[in-house]
Amino acid sequence: MPHSVSLINTIAAGLGLALVFGFLAAKLRLPALVGYLLAGVIIGPFTPGFVADASIAAQLAEIGVMLLMFGVGLHFSLDDLLAVRKIALPGALAQIAVATLLGGGLAMWWGWSPGAALVFGLALSVASTVVLLRALESLGILDSFTGRIAIGWLVVEDLAMVLVLVLMPPLAGALGGTPDNGGGPADPLWQTLGLTLLQVGGFVALMLVVGRRVFPWILWQVTRTGSRELFTLCVVAAAVSIAFASAALFGVSFALGAFFAGMVMRESQFSHRAAQESLPLRDAFAVLFFVSVGMLFDPSVLIDRPLQVLAVVLVIVLGKSLAACALVLVFRYPLATALTVSASLAQIGEFSFILAGLGVSLGLLPVEGQSLVLAGALISIATNPLWFSLIAPMQKWLHAHSSFARKLESRSDPLAELPMTTEAKYLSKQVVLVGYGRVGRRIAAELEANDIPYVVAEQNRELVEKLREAGIAAVWGDAADPAVLIQAHIARARVLVVATPDTLNVRQMIETARTLNPAIQTVIRSHNEQEATLLKQETAVTVFLGEQELAQAMARDVVQRAVSMAVPA
């Protein structure tokens, strides 16, 4: 058997060096992905020694993007996407416009053509969903409302970039490049645009109408066989094949196709198991994704064009992040949410590489532009965890030193306090319910059935508006902020219920509640047994652990059935 097999060499070298440098990075208290990127640089074509097959590495990375986006879809339902549409849609489009103007203006200053400036600006405007997913998972805020805003924002960016990629070839000639029409007559722009919108719309409709019924049914049929191998195969095949079919038949990206595959698979009762079964593959191929990014990087650009690289990094890290922060604040969301979204966008990734490569092939973008995009991507991805780690210190510093920041946090908002017409029963001896998601809604239904008054504290503005319209007492804001619990009249409440999956700020909520109301009872939810134990020990609250409650409910049912069958008729 020949040993010089490119696929095996690439996987072995990529994973092996990624392990070594990832371990060293972790020892130095740096993100492991910095080591993965460095491993890619070492086996890339721009450094001496062994050179891995870049085309194979890129394909392996594409599989990693598919599996990672599939995992995002498994955690991100259509309801989650619709819940953040009012901020994600206008926010993402406005941020793309601002970042494109910044990047394009920089390119025009360097003397590039308008077409090159447009492509360059667009490449700097779109962040990597893969990088964002890893960051949110490491912080434990993937399922939080802020995490859903960030993911929804990037999904809108991905949809916009799909449209851009389709329109670039027919527009190349008008922008000063080489038309990509095979030498034949070009289709009218309106026809190309209409066809693109029709394809994307048809794909989304097919997945939401047909996919939501078909794929959960298929997963159920495979589960009935009792074969774990078939179940895992079904999950992976669904992610990869749907992504491929979406690109081949509808012209959307692999990443977007896999994302919608995960969203429709989420309708199945086995979605949690599907996420667990695909996790090892997702992790392995995610490493290859970062290695492949490192392989594209030419370190000489740092020496030849240091000021240009610095300018590109500043546009990515500061320019579009500040624009996103301002947009989130304009929509009247908290400073913490604005800073988190800003950190999420302080990097560029896979779509940037595709845009730059297509721009070069169409004669729009100079080769040096592609090198600058790759340099900006590598540096921004490597430094992205740093910006997330600075969110809390930055928020604290702004509160202490900026009157404007304090004004933002204290600005009046009709949704941030209960209306003057609120009935007295909601202001005393009520239940304060933090979070109105799947768990919160069920708790609220039980409280209503037992005629127990409650006040909802929720971060989703649109949801608070709907609750107010339905006659439910609700306040908008992060319950970790004492002002939110004060507006919910926590000082006179009976019980505080934290029904959100995000437990990062639970201790702060409990501390605020007990400071204002020492006798209050507190009930929270958790998905982690160790975390639940610590919360019980540190705060002496009642913690409901998902798996434990499920096991107890099943055990009670089993015992009841066994006892009833044992009693003679």
Side-chain angles (χ1 to χ4, degrees):
M1 178 180 293
H3 294 283
S4 57
V5 182
S6 296
L7 176 62
I8 297 176
N9 289 344
T10 302
I11 293 177
L15 293 180
L17 284 176
L19 173 62
V20 173
F21 286 99
F23 175 79
L24 292 176
K27 282 292 185 181
L28 295 174
R29 297 187 176 182
L30 294 172
L33 66 86
V34 174
Y36 307 155
L37 292 168
L38 184 58
V41 174
I42 291 175
I43 63 174
F46 304 105
T47 52
F50 172 77
V51 177
D53 192 316
S55 62
I56 289 179
Q59 293 183 52
L60 293 172
E62 196 69 66
I63 297 175
V65 172
M66 293 181 197
L67 293 175
L68 281 165
M69 291 302 294
F70 178 74
V72 175
L74 284 171
H75 291 92
F76 199 83
S77 68
L78 178 62
D79 293 336
D80 293 333
L81 186 58
L82 293 176
V84 298
R85 69 189 184 281
K86 290 187 178 180
I87 181 175
L89 181 59
L93 295 179
Q95 176 260 309
I96 288 174
V98 172
T100 301
L101 288 174
L102 290 174
L106 195 62
M108 294 287 286
W109 186 43
W110 293 335
W112 295 5
S113 67
L118 178 61
V119 174
F120 187 71
L122 286 170
L124 301 187
S125 70
V126 56
S128 169
T129 312
V130 176
V131 175
L132 171 66
L133 173 64
R134 302 284 287 192
L136 295 180
E137 283 183 332
S138 64
L139 293 173
I141 60 173
L142 182 63
D143 293 324
S144 68
F145 182 67
T146 299
R148 292 197 293 269
I149 289 178
I151 294 174
W153 193 297
L154 264 67
V155 168
V156 174
E157 284 191 350
D158 289 350
L159 287 169
M161 289 306 113
V162 169
L163 185 61
V164 170
L165 289 173
V166 173
L167 291 178
M168 274 180 62
L171 288 175
L175 294 173
T178 305
D180 186 23
N181 53 19
D187 293 330
L189 179 59
W190 67 266
Q191 183 177 334
T192 302
L193 179 59
L195 180 61
T196 301
L197 293 176
L198 185 63
Q199 287 178 320
V200 175
F203 167 71
V204 173
L206 181 66
M207 294 300 290
L208 297 181
V209 176
V210 179
R212 295 178 79 176
R213 294 174 174 82
V214 173
F215 296 117
W217 179 83
I218 293 175
L219 198 61
W220 166 243
Q221 298 303 317
V222 173
T223 304
R224 292 177 63 184
T225 65
S227 171
R228 180 177 179 179
E229 293 81 4
L230 281 177
F231 183 88
T232 305
L233 179 61
C234 179
V235 172
V236 176
V240 177
S241 60
I242 293 173
F244 174 77
S246 66
L249 300 178
F250 296 95
V252 303
S253 67
F254 290 135
L256 196 62
F259 173 78
F260 275 95
M263 281 183 62
V264 298
M265 196 70 77
R266 191 180 190 278
E267 302 298 320
S268 168
Q269 58 182 315
F270 302 103
S271 60
H272 180 71
R273 180 183 172 190
Q276 292 296 115
E277 294 290 346
S278 60
L279 184 60
L281 277 174
R282 294 202 323 252
D283 287 342
F285 280 101
V287 171
L288 291 175
F289 165 76
F290 291 112
V291 171
S292 71
V293 173
M295 289 177 62
L296 296 172
F297 179 61
D298 183 359
S300 65
V301 73
L302 299 175
I303 301 174
D304 298 337
R305 305 176 184 273
L307 294 180
Q308 289 182 323
V309 171
L310 178 61
V312 169
V313 172
L314 290 177
V315 169
I316 297 169
V317 174
L318 288 181
K320 69 173 186 172
S321 296
L322 290 175
C325 182
L327 288 166
V328 175
L329 292 176
V330 165
F331 282 95
R332 306 185 71 87
Y333 279 87
L335 180 62
T337 300
L339 292 175
T340 302
V341 173
S342 298
S344 302
L345 299 173
Q347 40 84 14
I348 58 175
E350 55 274 6
F351 268 111
S352 302
F353 311 146
I354 298 171
L355 280 170
L358 182 59
V360 171
S361 67
L362 293 174
L364 289 172
L365 186 69
V367 176
E368 64 182 277
Q370 186 178 30
S371 298
L372 290 173
V373 169
L374 293 172
L378 184 69
I379 295 172
S380 64
I381 289 174
T383 58
N384 193 239
L386 172 64
W387 312 130
F388 275 100
S389 67
L390 291 177
I391 291 175
M394 177 63 71
Q395 185 179 5
K396 184 177 180 181
W397 186 88
L398 288 173
H399 274 262
H401 297 86
S402 172
S403 59
F404 179 68
R406 292 192 295 271
K407 184 178 178 180
L408 285 175
E409 292 293 296
S410 62
R411 60 187 172 182
S412 60
D413 189 303
L415 297 180
E417 55 186 24
L418 292 177
M420 296 296 294
T421 56
T422 302
E423 296 182 44
K425 66 178 182 179
Y426 298 110
L427 308 179
S428 178
K429 298 183 179 180
Q430 82 284 14
V431 172
V432 176
L433 176 60
V434 178
Y436 200 77
R438 292 184 296 273
V439 175
R441 284 195 296 269
R442 288 172 170 80
I443 296 174
E446 288 296 322
L447 293 173
E448 288 181 2
N450 290 276
D451 198 25
I452 300 175
Y454 63 93
V455 177
V456 176
E458 171 61 52
Q459 295 188 63
N460 187 335
R461 286 183 58 88
E462 290 75 26
L463 183 54
V464 172
E465 290 176 353
K466 292 180 180 178
L467 291 173
R468 293 274 184 95
E469 292 172 0
I472 298 175
V475 293
W476 167 75
D478 185 355
D481 181 0
V484 175
L485 291 181
I486 290 172
Q487 289 298 328
H489 288 251
I490 194 70
R492 303 178 67 182
R494 288 181 177 178
V495 183
L496 169 67
V497 182
V498 182
T500 61
D502 180 15
T503 56
L504 290 177
N505 297 319
V506 165
R507 290 173 177 82
Q508 189 172 347
M509 298 178 198
I510 297 172
E511 181 180 348
T512 301
R514 289 184 173 171
T515 300
L516 299 172
N517 187 349
I520 195 169
Q521 299 293 312
T522 306
V523 179
I524 67 174
R525 62 178 284 201
S526 176
H527 293 294
N528 185 289
E529 187 172 357
Q530 183 179 6
E531 180 183 56
T533 302
L534 289 174
L535 285 171
K536 287 180 180 179
Q537 294 174 349
E538 296 175 6
T539 59
V541 299
T542 302
V543 182
F544 284 87
L545 187 64
E547 294 180 356
Q548 181 180 356
E549 297 304 317
L550 175 62
Q552 290 177 353
M554 291 180 65
R556 286 194 297 268
D557 184 76
V558 170
V559 170
Q560 184 179 358
R561 292 175 185 273
V563 170
S564 62
M565 293 181 65
V567 176

